Amino acid sequence: MTFRMDPRAKLYLLLLANLMLLFHVGTGAEAAATALCLLLFFLSGKARAGVRLSVLYFGLLAVDLFVVPRVGESVLLNLLSLVSVGVRMMLPCIITGAYAFSTTTVGELTAALRRMHLPESIIIPCAVVVRFFPTVGEDYRHIRAAMALRGIAAGRGALLRHPVQSLEYILMPLLMNSNNVAQDLSAAALTKGIGLPGRHTCMTELRLTAWDFLYPALCTLPLLWKVVTLL
């Protein structure tokens, strides 16, 4: 049995990750809160994604702890520290967003936003965004499969070895197709009656449990500690 969290609690965690980025709670507190968010991947049955993101985050954290103090010794170390610090500071938001949107269906998100009494002008774009990135990811896999079939930039690491071909054969088709995907998803959402006025019914039942309060509260402690220390 996998751990299920209410979409409203997931949205709170996403807001909390952005607040931690804004207030810069410190490396230790940030690592603790990020580890709790990474644990959600394993509890929800997405162990592979949890392992990948954990290796990425804690690998960059190790670079910050052991390489950044040596900044100034060489240009390569300066560049490495600059990239690692910037990416690591953004990762908590990316990790929390990846968990929230990969474990939430469009119906659950729509029901949660309506429970929060948000206007339809916000609910419809959010519903489109949830479907947008998986659709673009599927298009990317199709483009990579077509390139491999033709022997263009095939194999692991080929995108780094052939950056010009990657830009021409992957990035440009994705950018051109993204506009069509957004329009199609918007039309599909409106066709299903999402934008109709009046009271909407939903087959998805949402119910807040004790874990939906306790787990976000635990993740909030690092931010509260930072606020208390600043007072």
Side-chain angles (χ1 to χ4, degrees), residues 144-155 158 162 165:
R144 290 288 292 137
M147 291 175 61
L149 185 63
R150 292 170 174 82
I152 303 174
H162 307 284
Q165 287 184 337

Side-chain angles (χ1 to χ4, degrees), residues 33-61:
T34 305
L36 290 173
C37 294
L38 288 169
L39 181 60
L40 292 172
F41 282 94
F42 299 94
L43 295 176
S44 61
K46 295 184 174 294
R48 179 176 298 181
V51 170
R52 291 177 178 176
L53 291 172
S54 298
V55 170
L56 177 60
Y57 178 79
F58 289 106
L60 292 175
L61 182 61

Side-chain angles (χ1 to χ4, degrees), residues 106-126:
V106 177
E108 291 174 343
L109 179 63
T110 304
L113 294 178
R114 286 193 174 128
R115 289 282 187 89
M116 298 166 64
H117 304 288
L118 295 178
E120 295 294 321
S121 58
I122 296 179
I123 295 176
I124 296 176
C126 290

Side-chain angles (χ1 to χ4, degrees), residues 91-106:
L91 269 180
C93 299
I94 297 174
I95 290 171
T96 310
Y99 166 74
F101 292 114
S102 65
T103 58
T104 305
T105 63
V106 177

Side-chain angles (χ1 to χ4, degrees), residues 20 23-32 57 88 222 226:
M20 288 195 303
F23 289 101
H24 189 54
V25 297
T27 303
E30 177 195 279
Y57 178 79
R88 183 187 59 78
K226 179 65 175 181

